[in-house]
Amino acid sequence: MAMQRYIVNFPRLSPDMLDIWKTVPSSIASDVQNRCQSMDARIKPCAPGMRICGQARTAVSMPGDNSMLLTACSLAEPGEVVVVAGAGLEEVALAGEWVVRGCKSRGLGGLVIDGSVRDLQEIRTIGFPVFAKGSVPRGPHKSFGGKMDVPAGVGGMVVNPGDLIIGDDDGVTVVPLAVMDEVLRRCLELMAKEKVWSQQLDAGKSLMEVLGVPEPEIVETPTLR
C-alpha cells in the first residue's frame, strides 16, 4: 500500500479561542455532547498532568507500521495534534523518544495513538503530551503505507482533520469541527453551573439537593418475629 497524503483545508482556531478551550476539561466536553465523543478508556496520558488541546491532523497506519505517523508529525503545524489510527494494536510501539523529541521541537500540540509507545521514561522526561493505550519494547516496521488527513477511527471515535482534541488525566474527548461553537457555548454554561454546585456542596448541601435527585420512596419492611 502506498503512502498517501490528502489535501485538506479546514478553519483554524485563533489563539484566543484555543485559550478558552484550554479551560475545558475532557469530561465537560463529553457531557455536553450527550456524554459521548470520548475515546477508549485505555487511551491515557503517558504521565499524570499531561494535557492536550488542539486541532487534529490524522494518520491511518498499517498495523505495526509507523511511517504515516512519522510523516504526519513532520508535516503538522505548530499547535496541531497528531491523531493516529493504529488499529488498536498494543503489541508494537508506534512512537518513542525520537518521535516525541521531533514533535516537541516542531511545537506540535500533542500525540494521540490508538496503540502503544515505548521509551516511557524518556517521554515523561521530555514532557511532551502523549496519549496511548500502553507501552511495550517492541518497535515498528516502516514503509508499508498508510494515509494522512483522512477520517480516522481512533479509540472508537471518528476523527476528522480539524476536529478539536481535548486530553487530560481522564482521557481524550473529540469535538467535531462542525459543532465546535455550539459545544463551547454549552461547555461554558455547564462549567458555570458546576462552580455554583461546588459552592453549594462546600456550604453543606447534600448531593441530592444540589443535583436535584428526588427523594426515594419509603418502603416499609415487615417486622421479623
Side-chain angles (χ1 to χ4, degrees), residues 31-182:
D31 281 356
V32 303
Q33 296 183 90
N34 199 30
R35 300 187 184 272
C36 297
Q37 291 299 119
S38 59
M39 289 186 183
D40 188 320
R42 291 176 293 173
I43 298 180
K44 287 291 191 290
C46 287
M50 285 183 170
R51 180 167 172 80
I52 283 175
C53 183
Q55 290 180 272
R57 299 295 295 275
T58 61
V60 178
S61 300
M62 294 291 286
D65 179 281
N66 77 342
S67 52
M68 283 316 302
L69 180 154
L70 298 176
T71 301
C73 291
S74 299
L75 298 178
E77 298 293 329
E80 293 179 333
V81 178
V82 174
V83 182
V84 184
L89 183 64
E90 298 181 58
E91 290 76 21
V92 177
L94 294 184
E97 176 184 0
W98 307 120
V99 170
V100 174
R101 286 190 183 280
C103 289
K104 184 175 183 179
S105 69
R106 299 196 64 251
L108 302 189
L111 180 60
V112 177
I113 302 175
D114 192 357
S116 291
V117 297
R118 66 179 182 180
D119 305 328
L120 198 55
Q121 181 176 348
E122 289 79 4
I123 290 174
R124 290 169 174 167
T125 299
I126 293 167
F128 180 82
V130 179
F131 286 59
K133 282 188 172 179
S135 60
V136 67
R138 182 181 178 185
H141 294 286
K142 292 175 174 61
S143 301
F144 283 99
K147 297 180 179 181
M148 178 180 171
D149 285 335
V150 295
V154 183
M157 289 289 104
V158 175
V159 181
N160 288 283
D163 288 350
L164 187 69
I165 307 299
I166 298 176
D168 52 30
D169 286 328
D170 288 336
V172 181
T173 296
V174 182
V175 182
L177 181 60
V179 296
M180 205 173 290
D181 291 343
E182 176 63 16

Side-chain angles (χ1 to χ4, degrees), residues 173-194:
T173 296
V174 182
V175 182
L177 181 60
V179 296
M180 205 173 290
D181 291 343
E182 176 63 16
V183 171
L184 179 58
R185 182 187 67 79
R186 294 179 182 178
C187 285
L188 296 178
E189 288 178 354
L190 180 54
M191 290 166 66
K193 286 183 181 179
E194 289 199 348

